[in-house]
Amino acid sequence: MVDDHVLAIVRLLGLEGLQLVPSIQLDHALITAFVERWRPETHRFHLPHGEMTITLQDVEVIMGLPIEGEAMVGPTKRTWEDVCAEMLRIQIPNGPQTVLKGQRILIPALVERIRQPLPSDANEIQVHQYARCYILALLGNMVLLDKSGDRVHLKWLEFMQNLRNPRKYSWGSAALSWFPHMSSQMVPQPNGVYGPPLPPIPLAMKWARAMCTKNAPMHVLSAYRNQIATTQPDQVKWEPYGNDLSHLPPSFHIERSNAWRLTVSLICFWLVEIHLLDRVLRQFGLK
């Protein structure tokens, strides 16, 4: 997205980091290997060297999502055809159709809606409808995924009604409670091979590279299981981000990083997950 009107709205919502995140191909074997180690009773991965989990710090630093703000809750009983027409300018035909199923819309339909650039004489309503299509597709593709793989829930539009002066929401805690996911190992390309260096933020930009297949087998479940089972404590990088986070923008509130260690409820509509870090203090340099 290069339209300045849309990018200004993305920044107002606090999603400028997510807008820079490259499209990530999920490694299902890697996810399966970790899911086998996941215990819902403790919300932790139980590993040979101890317990680890995905934290608010990971969500903010890797994906660039804000973790401070209001909880993301709201009504879900709407006439979704009218919502699409009013907020997205997408007309849903009567009768059997595939674009909208219940409360979920096809992401390709959103992409098709914004395939052409905004006209130069677009009014505010048209700009906001265009921006919602882009942001909804971005959310559905990156952090608020649907099990179908190609749809996104329309309830996220609840937080995009006022795009002139939007309220601040904790998109990061909603994403963490919704569907945390992992990515494959990637290796950087030599500087200058594909043009100017990529920006260092958010941290997910490090995955805008080629997939590593030489040093470790990828997409092989048995290999991942073996690597996890044989990992020694001295091989674990407990604090992968280090102490220097100066590359992150001021909006990340790094000076208030204690928020990463809070014991809080992560709320996303009907989902309530507890962010308990007393079992994984080593991830924050503590005993």
Side-chain angles (χ1 to χ4, degrees), residues 21 31 38 72 84 113 165 176 198 206 215 230 252 255 263 280-281:
V21 173
I31 293 175
W38 179 260
M72 302 188 71
C84 288
R113 168 73 174 80
N165 185 28
L176 184 55
L198 294 170
K206 69 186 292 185
N215 300 325
T230 57
F252 279 60
E255 70 279 3
T263 299
V280 293
L281 294 178

Side-chain angles (χ1 to χ4, degrees), residues 38 45 52-56 58-59 176 180-182 275 283:
W38 179 260
F45 296 106
M52 301 184 78
T53 193
I54 305 170
T55 69
L56 287 173
D58 300 318
V59 174
L176 184 55
H181 66 275
M182 292 158 281
H275 189 251
Q283 291 181 227

Side-chain angles (χ1 to χ4, degrees), residues 54-66:
I54 305 170
T55 69
L56 287 173
Q57 181 190 42
D58 300 318
V59 174
E60 185 170 29
V61 176
I62 295 178
M63 302 303 292
L65 290 172

Side-chain angles (χ1 to χ4, degrees), residues 187-253:
V187 292
Q189 298 292 343
N191 291 334
V193 173
Y194 296 112
L198 294 170
I201 58 172
L203 197 63
M205 289 302 295
K206 69 186 292 185
W207 281 280
R209 307 289 191 269
M211 183 177 295
C212 174
T213 57
K214 294 182 180 180
N215 300 325
M218 307 298 289
H219 303 286
V220 181
L221 180 56
S222 59
Y224 285 137
R225 286 171 173 161
N226 181 65
Q227 290 176 16
I228 293 173
T230 57
T231 299
Q232 300 299 311
D234 59 357
Q235 295 177 296
V236 179
K237 191 171 184 179
W238 293 99
E239 296 178 87
Y241 314 122
N243 296 320
D244 183 16
L245 294 174
S246 58
H247 63 284
L248 296 173
S251 61
F252 279 60
H253 303 299

